[in-house]
Amino acid sequence: MKKPIRKAIFPVGGLGTRFLPATKAMPKEMLPVVDKPLIQYALEEARAAGVEEFIFVTGRGKSAIEDHFDNSTELEQTLESRGKYELLDLMRSSMLEPGQVAYTRQQEPLGLGHAVWCARHLVGDEPFAVLLADDLVMAEEPCLAQMVEVYNEVGGNVVAVMDVPRDQTHRYGILDVIHDDGRIAEAQGLVEKPDPADAPSTLSIIGRYVLQPEVFRELDRQERGAGDEIQLTDAMSRTIGEVPFNGLRFEGTRFDCGSKEGFLEANVAFALQRPDLGADMAEIIERYAGLISRETRRVSSS
């Protein structure tokens, strides 16, 4: 019988330099998509997949994340005294039960594999999930819940994957596929950020993982890979043959919120699907599309 996925790791120690100056004093994971920070979307996705324990691997300047998932007595009292019970319930819905959340420090930015390794003692000898808040997925069924279903079918390591243009393979971990039924792709290897000419496929991993504890044994080696960092994909690759490895083509839309373009697109997409904002957002988009069209015609005729 497969052990359930009870724990999830959230690596949140990155500097977020691509969003400076906004992230000078605020963690990039706290950047809001509409009115909810990225890290809360990730946590809610994990919770919807049955995760019970939430492990944050933090760094310097990340205390805002801890505060976000903690009680705010003064704010709660203010909302209650003003009769703003809907906002009060909304805020309390993000709270975690005592003992459900743990924080550990990644003292040096040595890569995703190193961040996951920092949580080894909190995970122990059981399977676990890893969620990167930068990768925001809009889906009817949460992405991690889809992955847990596949894990219950096939076991082993399961990652969320999507096809990318070949000229972008150098930005991702790429699967070396031996069998692909269009939904689940079985891999015999992984390559971290390969040159397009050397990429074994165009099937890339996004920031969702269900992993077996054997990966910690490989991370213990502290071997550097691409970018002179300790790569999670390298450790996963070394367990193939011992642990089954499959990629799931998840149903949904992934937004790369580590880039400004992806972050802005996510805000538009999530606003459009909101009953309270969708119509207004569509009107705003139409208005700006008209302005762009008129400017394009002006430039073309000049």
Side-chain angles (χ1 to χ4, degrees):
M1 182 177 178
K2 301 177 184 69
K3 292 183 179 180
I5 307 300
R6 301 188 312 111
K7 299 180 180 181
I9 298 173
F10 302 86
V12 293
L15 297 175
T17 53
R18 281 186 284 182
F19 282 89
L20 287 170
T23 51
K24 179 182 178 182
M26 178 177 70
K28 64 176 181 177
E29 296 82 9
M30 289 300 294
L31 291 171
V33 170
V34 185
D35 54 8
K36 189 187 301 183
L38 287 167
I39 190 60
Q40 187 171 335
Y41 284 100
L43 184 140
E44 290 176 354
E45 182 181 326
R47 183 186 273 169
V51 170
E52 301 169 359
E53 297 183 34
F54 307 86
I55 303 164
F56 295 86
V57 182
T58 69
R60 291 178 58 83
K62 300 288 183 169
S63 60
I65 295 174
E66 298 184 34
D67 292 341
H68 181 72
F69 293 111
D70 200 355
N71 290 325
S72 179
T73 304
E74 183 178 318
L75 178 56
E76 290 178 23
Q77 290 174 346
T78 299
L79 292 174
E80 188 167 14
S81 68
R82 295 178 180 177
K84 297 187 177 182
Y85 300 112
E86 187 175 342
L87 283 175
L88 183 61
D89 291 342
L90 181 64
M91 193 178 69
R92 285 175 173 170
S93 68
S94 67
M95 298 299 100
L96 298 171
E97 295 294 327
Q100 276 193 303
V101 60
Y103 298 91
T104 187
R105 277 288 186 105
Q106 182 187 21
Q107 287 91 347
E108 298 179 79
L110 297 179
L112 177 58
H114 182 259
V116 171
W117 177 79
C118 288
R120 64 199 182 283
H121 297 307
L122 294 168
V123 172
D125 188 27
E126 61 181 284
F128 61 99
V130 178
L131 297 92
L132 306 186
D134 283 359
D135 279 327
L136 179 58
V137 180
M138 178 188 288
E140 186 172 336
E141 180 183 14
C143 182
L144 186 63
Q146 297 178 46
M147 296 170 65
V148 169
E149 289 177 8
V150 171
Y151 163 74
N152 289 333
E153 292 175 28
V154 301
N157 295 330
V158 179
V159 294
V161 296
M162 58 183 286
D163 283 294
V164 297
R166 180 164 286 275
D167 63 1
Q168 294 182 17
T169 58
H170 65 285
R171 296 166 52 188
Y172 301 94
I174 302 295
L175 272 62
D176 185 358
V177 178
I178 55 174
H179 181 263
D180 187 349
D181 66 7
R183 174 174 174 256
I184 301 174
E186 182 182 356
Q188 64 180 356
L190 290 164
V191 183
E192 179 64 23
K193 300 179 180 178
D195 289 332
D198 301 324
S201 75
T202 58
L203 203 56
S204 74
I205 301 173
I206 70 158
R208 299 292 185 277
Y209 310 78
V210 170
L211 301 175
Q212 298 301 307
E214 284 83 356
V215 75
F216 288 124
R217 180 195 64 215
E218 299 302 326
L219 291 171
D220 280 338
R221 297 161 63 168
Q222 299 288 285
E223 291 186 3
R224 305 291 184 99
D228 197 34
E229 294 182 334
I230 298 168
Q231 297 292 346
L232 182 59
T233 48
D234 292 343
M236 290 189 295
S237 182
R238 289 194 292 265
T239 68
I240 294 175
E242 176 186 4
V243 176
F245 189 90
N246 290 278
L248 168 67
R249 286 187 173 89
F250 61 95
E251 295 183 6
T253 303
R254 173 251 187 179
F255 300 94
D256 177 10
C257 291
S259 72
K260 294 174 185 176
E261 297 86 353
F263 176 72
L264 292 171
E265 183 182 359
N267 271 277
V268 172
F270 275 78
L272 283 171
Q273 75 161 8
R274 286 266 296 262
D276 59 331
L277 294 172
D280 289 339
M281 178 56 66
E283 184 179 328
I284 291 168
I285 292 171
E286 186 176 353
R287 182 165 68 247
Y288 277 91
L291 289 173
I292 293 170
S293 178
R294 288 195 295 273
E295 179 64 17
T296 301
R297 290 196 299 269
R298 186 190 68 77
V299 172
S300 298
S301 62
S302 61

